Amino acid sequence: PGTMAVAPPAAVGVLFRIVGYFTDRPMLGAEALASFLMFCTITGIVMALFFDNVGGAWDNAKKYIEAGNFGGKGSEAHKAAITGDCVGDPTKDTAGPSLHVVVKLTSTVAILLAPALVG
């Protein structure tokens, strides 16, 4: 999983640096890496918000059903909500916040790789 955050920025930067060398655009690698970094940051923020909100919705759905709605405890809706709660808690508590680490790692790799792409 760590390779998914480290390898793509390096691959994009080096690949476009080579393409830029042959097309007379020496800064193409740095430009492509900056674009890739913006894309990763925006996508990571949106996905983290999605995971946090969906996990909370699944958790609150179980509480809503246990309050007596949709048949209350013991109903088919409650059984489904328990499954949703088992998925929602890890989604809300770990998957969303962990994307922050992935975005930071990708950014750090891009910053460390930038001098090689400019010179």
Side-chain angles (χ1 to χ4, degrees):
T3 306
M4 295 294 288
V6 174
V12 166
V14 171
L15 177 70
F16 282 98
R17 168 74 190 247
I18 293 168
V19 171
Y21 176 78
F22 289 111
T23 59
D24 224 14
R25 292 184 61 194
M27 293 294 290
L28 186 62
E31 293 170 7
L33 185 59
S35 299
F36 182 79
L37 190 58
M38 286 186 285
F39 170 77
C40 285
T41 303
I42 292 168
T43 304
I45 290 170
V46 171
M47 288 300 295
L49 286 171
F50 172 76
F51 281 147
D52 288 341
N53 287 328
V54 167
W58 277 331
D59 189 32
N60 290 335
K62 186 185 87 159
K63 293 175 186 171
Y64 183 74
I65 292 170
E66 287 176 348
N69 300 299
F70 295 108
K73 287 187 178 182
S75 67
E76 288 297 318
H78 186 252
K79 292 175 188 174
I82 290 173
T83 303
D85 184 48
C86 290
V87 174
D89 280 338
T91 302
K92 173 184 64 171
D93 296 336
T94 60
S98 70
L99 283 173
H100 180 258
V101 175
V102 173
V103 169
K104 280 179 74 171
L105 181 59
T106 304
S107 302
T108 303
V109 169
I111 289 169
L112 292 174
L113 189 63
L117 299 174
V118 174

